[in-house]
Amino acid sequence: MADAYLELATAILQVHQRPMNSREIIELANKYRMLPEHLHGKTIHKTLQARISENIVKYRFKSAFFRVSPGVFYLRDLQDENAYGLSHLGEYAAIRRQKSPRRQRVLCIEASYIPAFVERKEASTLISSKIWLNHSRYLRKDIADSSDDLIKILAFTIVKDGDRILAHQIGRFSDHLQSKSITLGIRSFVTEFDIDLLNDDLIGVKRSACREITRHLSFLEKRVSDIDLMQRMHHVAWKKEDHSQLAFIICFDAESYRNQILVHGRTLGFNAPHWVSCDDIAHLKCDETSKFAARLISSQDNFK
């Protein structure tokens, strides 16, 4: 472990064998004169917390660290050993912060290469991987927004658990045309961090969907990987939302995680999350993509 901050945190946690926040780690390092001379400053504890958090985000379950609670960390190797006398320390899944959407590089395709289509599942076969390969590119979203010749690609992820679907209110600061509406999907633009190009399996869209699911949901089951989530996703349909956006509707089958999902509401874009039954969907005032998806749910067996 080359990072001096991470080496310091590892040493302190190994010696004291109890979860700590970054301020406690720095205080103990000072007390026992373990703090290297090149690590100094009034906010060194914030830097330490950021380094540990980055390590957890990057390596997930392979990270040497995990969160016990917000801002409190422990070593994964010592998860079953601690000075608290607890037999096992559970992992806390923190909500990920997101980069400003306008500064992200999102996947775009030239509008002239999107064929005329009918909004049905079979139409998705009209969009070939060759079109994506030759005519798609990543651009900063604020630049793509100013062009009438580009269509931005996004995932519209429906979380379905048996006969119920996760709904939420679109936050006022969400990058969505219909803020404050009820929606059945979690929206996310496909970015350069999801995959280089979309392929026939829509891996880029599914990775985008997975990224947003893990921002808003956490699972009591400890070792839920991105691959686990993607294996429970399938493409339902796609819908052109306006002249500048094309939404791929993805269903995430959460039934196997029943009673294990923790839902985090976020005031900026994910307000008042709640489960609704399929029978109640017709009575909701939803955005157009949700209405389209709801019609598919009621008329076709798309959610196997």
Side-chain angles (χ1 to χ4, degrees), residues 179-200:
S179 64
K180 298 185 179 180
S181 297
I182 297 295
T183 184
L184 304 179
I186 303 175
R187 301 165 57 84
S188 55
F189 288 97
V190 180
T191 75
E192 61 187 333
F193 299 107
D194 295 317
I195 200 169
D196 290 335
L197 294 169
L198 284 174
N199 61 14
D200 294 335

Short mmCIF file of all heavy atoms in Angstrom, two decimals, residues 179-200:
data_model
loop_
_atom_site.label_atom_id
_atom_site.label_comp_id
_atom_site.label_asym_id
_atom_site.label_seq_id
_atom_site.Cartn_x
_atom_site.Cartn_y
_atom_site.Cartn_z
N SER A 179 -39.44 18.11 -13.61
CA SER A 179 -39.15 18.03 -12.19
C SER A 179 -40.43 18.08 -11.38
O SER A 179 -41.45 18.62 -11.82
CB SER A 179 -38.21 19.17 -11.77
OG SER A 179 -38.85 20.41 -11.95
N LYS A 180 -40.39 17.50 -10.21
CA LYS A 180 -41.50 17.39 -9.28
C LYS A 180 -42.56 16.39 -9.72
O LYS A 180 -43.58 16.23 -9.06
CB LYS A 180 -42.15 18.75 -9.01
CG LYS A 180 -41.20 19.77 -8.36
CD LYS A 180 -41.91 21.04 -8.01
CE LYS A 180 -40.95 22.03 -7.35
NZ LYS A 180 -41.62 23.30 -6.99
N SER A 181 -42.34 15.69 -10.85
CA SER A 181 -43.25 14.64 -11.27
C SER A 181 -42.90 13.34 -10.56
O SER A 181 -41.79 13.16 -10.05
CB SER A 181 -43.16 14.42 -12.79
OG SER A 181 -43.56 15.56 -13.50
N ILE A 182 -43.86 12.42 -10.55
CA ILE A 182 -43.58 11.07 -10.06
C ILE A 182 -43.02 10.26 -11.22
O ILE A 182 -43.51 10.34 -12.35
CB ILE A 182 -44.86 10.40 -9.53
CG1 ILE A 182 -45.41 11.17 -8.32
CG2 ILE A 182 -44.58 8.95 -9.14
CD1 ILE A 182 -44.50 11.16 -7.11
N THR A 183 -41.98 9.50 -10.96
CA THR A 183 -41.38 8.67 -12.00
C THR A 183 -41.19 7.25 -11.48
O THR A 183 -41.02 7.03 -10.27
CB THR A 183 -40.04 9.25 -12.48
OG1 THR A 183 -39.54 8.45 -13.57
CG2 THR A 183 -39.01 9.26 -11.36
N LEU A 184 -41.20 6.31 -12.40
CA LEU A 184 -40.98 4.90 -12.05
C LEU A 184 -39.55 4.47 -12.34
O LEU A 184 -39.20 3.32 -12.07
CB LEU A 184 -41.94 4.02 -12.85
CG LEU A 184 -43.44 4.32 -12.72
CD1 LEU A 184 -44.25 3.37 -13.59
CD2 LEU A 184 -43.87 4.22 -11.27
N GLY A 185 -38.75 5.37 -12.87
CA GLY A 185 -37.41 4.98 -13.27
C GLY A 185 -36.33 5.85 -12.67
O GLY A 185 -36.55 7.01 -12.35
N ILE A 186 -35.15 5.26 -12.54
CA ILE A 186 -33.96 5.99 -12.10
C ILE A 186 -33.18 6.35 -13.37
O ILE A 186 -32.75 5.48 -14.11
CB ILE A 186 -33.10 5.14 -11.15
CG1 ILE A 186 -33.93 4.70 -9.94
CG2 ILE A 186 -31.87 5.91 -10.70
CD1 ILE A 186 -33.19 3.77 -9.01
N ARG A 187 -33.02 7.64 -13.61
CA ARG A 187 -32.43 8.11 -14.85
C ARG A 187 -30.92 8.33 -14.70
O ARG A 187 -30.46 8.84 -13.69
CB ARG A 187 -33.08 9.43 -15.26
CG ARG A 187 -34.58 9.35 -15.46
CD ARG A 187 -35.19 10.73 -15.50
NE ARG A 187 -34.58 11.54 -16.56
CZ ARG A 187 -34.94 11.52 -17.82
NH1 ARG A 187 -35.93 10.74 -18.20
NH2 ARG A 187 -34.34 12.27 -18.72
N SER A 188 -30.17 7.98 -15.75
CA SER A 188 -28.72 8.23 -15.74
C SER A 188 -28.21 8.26 -17.17
O SER A 188 -28.53 7.39 -17.97
CB SER A 188 -28.00 7.13 -14.95
OG SER A 188 -28.31 5.84 -15.45
N PHE A 189 -27.42 9.27 -17.48
CA PHE A 189 -26.78 9.34 -18.78
C PHE A 189 -25.63 8.35 -18.83
O PHE A 189 -24.93 8.13 -17.85
CB PHE A 189 -26.28 10.75 -19.06
CG PHE A 189 -27.38 11.74 -19.32
CD1 PHE A 189 -27.84 12.56 -18.31
CD2 PHE A 189 -27.95 11.83 -20.57
CE1 PHE A 189 -28.86 13.47 -18.54
CE2 PHE A 189 -28.98 12.73 -20.82
CZ PHE A 189 -29.44 13.55 -19.80
N VAL A 190 -25.42 7.74 -20.00
CA VAL A 190 -24.28 6.84 -20.19
C VAL A 190 -23.04 7.71 -20.36
O VAL A 190 -22.98 8.56 -21.25
CB VAL A 190 -24.49 5.95 -21.43
CG1 VAL A 190 -23.30 5.01 -21.62
CG2 VAL A 190 -25.78 5.14 -21.30
N THR A 191 -22.07 7.51 -19.49
CA THR A 191 -20.86 8.33 -19.51
C THR A 191 -19.65 7.52 -19.96
O THR A 191 -19.71 6.29 -20.11
CB THR A 191 -20.57 8.93 -18.12
OG1 THR A 191 -20.05 7.90 -17.27
CG2 THR A 191 -21.84 9.51 -17.50
N GLU A 192 -18.56 8.22 -20.14
CA GLU A 192 -17.33 7.58 -20.59
C GLU A 192 -16.81 6.56 -19.58
O GLU A 192 -15.98 5.71 -19.90
CB GLU A 192 -16.26 8.63 -20.85
CG GLU A 192 -15.90 9.45 -19.62
CD GLU A 192 -14.96 10.58 -19.95
OE1 GLU A 192 -14.20 10.46 -20.94
OE2 GLU A 192 -14.98 11.60 -19.24
N PHE A 193 -17.29 6.63 -18.33
CA PHE A 193 -16.81 5.70 -17.31
C PHE A 193 -17.58 4.38 -17.34
O PHE A 193 -17.22 3.43 -16.65
CB PHE A 193 -16.94 6.33 -15.92
CG PHE A 193 -16.13 7.58 -15.78
CD1 PHE A 193 -16.74 8.82 -15.75
CD2 PHE A 193 -14.75 7.53 -15.72
CE1 PHE A 193 -16.00 9.99 -15.63
CE2 PHE A 193 -14.00 8.69 -15.60
CZ PHE A 193 -14.63 9.91 -15.55
N ASP A 194 -18.66 4.30 -18.12
CA ASP A 194 -19.44 3.08 -18.16
C ASP A 194 -18.84 2.07 -19.14
O ASP A 194 -18.73 0.89 -18.84
CB ASP A 194 -20.89 3.40 -18.56
CG ASP A 194 -21.58 4.25 -17.49
OD1 ASP A 194 -21.39 3.94 -16.30
OD2 ASP A 194 -22.26 5.22 -17.85
N ILE A 195 -18.52 2.51 -20.35
CA ILE A 195 -17.89 1.64 -21.33
C ILE A 195 -17.49 2.50 -22.52
O ILE A 195 -18.03 3.60 -22.71
CB ILE A 195 -18.83 0.49 -21.77
CG1 ILE A 195 -18.04 -0.66 -22.40
CG2 ILE A 195 -19.91 0.99 -22.71
CD1 ILE A 195 -18.87 -1.92 -22.60
N ASP A 196 -16.58 2.04 -23.34
CA ASP A 196 -16.14 2.83 -24.49
C ASP A 196 -17.24 2.97 -25.54
O ASP A 196 -17.46 4.03 -26.10
CB ASP A 196 -14.91 2.21 -25.13
CG ASP A 196 -13.68 2.35 -24.25
OD1 ASP A 196 -13.66 3.29 -23.44
OD2 ASP A 196 -12.78 1.53 -24.38
N LEU A 197 -17.92 1.87 -25.84
CA LEU A 197 -18.96 1.88 -26.85
C LEU A 197 -20.10 0.98 -26.40
O LEU A 197 -19.89 -0.02 -25.72
CB LEU A 197 -18.45 1.36 -28.20
CG LEU A 197 -17.39 2.22 -28.91
CD1 LEU A 197 -16.80 1.43 -30.06
CD2 LEU A 197 -18.01 3.50 -29.42
N LEU A 198 -21.30 1.31 -26.81
CA LEU A 198 -22.41 0.39 -26.61
C LEU A 198 -22.22 -0.79 -27.55
O LEU A 198 -21.78 -0.64 -28.68
CB LEU A 198 -23.74 1.06 -26.93
CG LEU A 198 -24.29 2.04 -25.90
CD1 LEU A 198 -25.53 2.72 -26.46
CD2 LEU A 198 -24.64 1.31 -24.63
N ASN A 199 -22.59 -1.99 -27.09
CA ASN A 199 -22.55 -3.13 -27.99
C ASN A 199 -23.91 -3.80 -28.00
O ASN A 199 -24.87 -3.28 -27.46
CB ASN A 199 -21.44 -4.11 -27.58
CG ASN A 199 -21.67 -4.67 -26.17
OD1 ASN A 199 -22.75 -4.54 -25.62
ND2 ASN A 199 -20.65 -5.27 -25.62
N ASP A 200 -24.02 -4.96 -28.63
CA ASP A 200 -25.32 -5.60 -28.78
C ASP A 200 -25.95 -5.98 -27.45
O ASP A 200 -27.16 -6.17 -27.35
CB ASP A 200 -25.19 -6.85 -29.67
CG ASP A 200 -24.81 -6.47 -31.09
OD1 ASP A 200 -25.11 -5.34 -31.48
OD2 ASP A 200 -24.22 -7.30 -31.79
#
